[in-house]
């Protein structure tokens, strides 16, 4: 039983590592959208309402899927670390 669990956990970690670049691009794009809309005075809720239906579905799947939790967290951490000095200025 523990071997099966180790295989499952190892597979999830491997999948997470493969998904990090995709999630990073997603986080980067959402941050660009947030900053652009912030300059226009549009709130995050309004930004989501202004998205096309397909974009809303993709966003909900990326944010809500249990499969993407670890890669999403890791990609967000990587993004914040890489852009830390830019936001501090």
């Amino acid at each position: 039983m523990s071997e099966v669990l180790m295989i499952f956990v190892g597979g999830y970690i491997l999948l997470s590592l493969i998904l990090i670049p995709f999630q990073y691009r997603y986080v980067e794009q959402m941050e660009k959208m947030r900053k652009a809309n912030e300059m226009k005075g549009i709130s995050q809720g309004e930004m989501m309402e202004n998205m096309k239906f397909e974009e809303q579905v993709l966003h909900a799947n990326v944010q809500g899927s249990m499969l993407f939790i670890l890669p999403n967290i890791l990609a967000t951490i990587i993004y914040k670390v890489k852009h830390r000095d830019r936001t501090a200025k």
Side-chain angles (χ1 to χ4, degrees):
M1 180 67 176
S2 65
E3 293 172 359
V4 173
L5 182 62
M6 292 301 290
I7 291 171
F8 177 75
V9 170
Y12 181 72
I13 291 172
L14 180 63
L15 179 64
S16 295
L17 291 173
I18 292 169
L19 290 174
I20 287 174
F22 299 103
Q23 288 299 102
Y24 180 84
R25 281 185 240 140
Y26 168 76
V27 169
E28 189 175 43
Q29 189 63 33
M30 288 304 294
E31 189 64 23
K32 285 179 185 176
M33 286 176 61
R34 186 190 64 78
K35 286 179 182 178
N37 286 321
E38 193 175 86
M39 293 175 107
K40 296 176 188 175
I42 298 173
S43 69
Q44 187 173 2
E46 291 171 329
M47 180 180 81
M48 294 299 172
E49 288 176 8
N50 293 339
M51 282 183 174
K52 296 178 184 175
F53 175 74
E54 295 84 3
E55 291 174 338
Q56 289 180 357
V57 170
L58 288 172
H59 179 72
N61 286 333
V62 168
Q63 291 295 317
S65 175
M66 296 296 285
L67 183 66
F68 294 117
I69 289 176
L70 182 60
N72 201 4
I73 291 170
L74 293 174
T76 302
I77 291 170
I78 293 169
Y79 180 83
K80 289 188 184 277
V81 167
K82 285 180 85 172
H83 294 87
R84 182 182 324 160
D85 57 343
R86 294 180 194 163
T87 57
K89 291 181 181 178

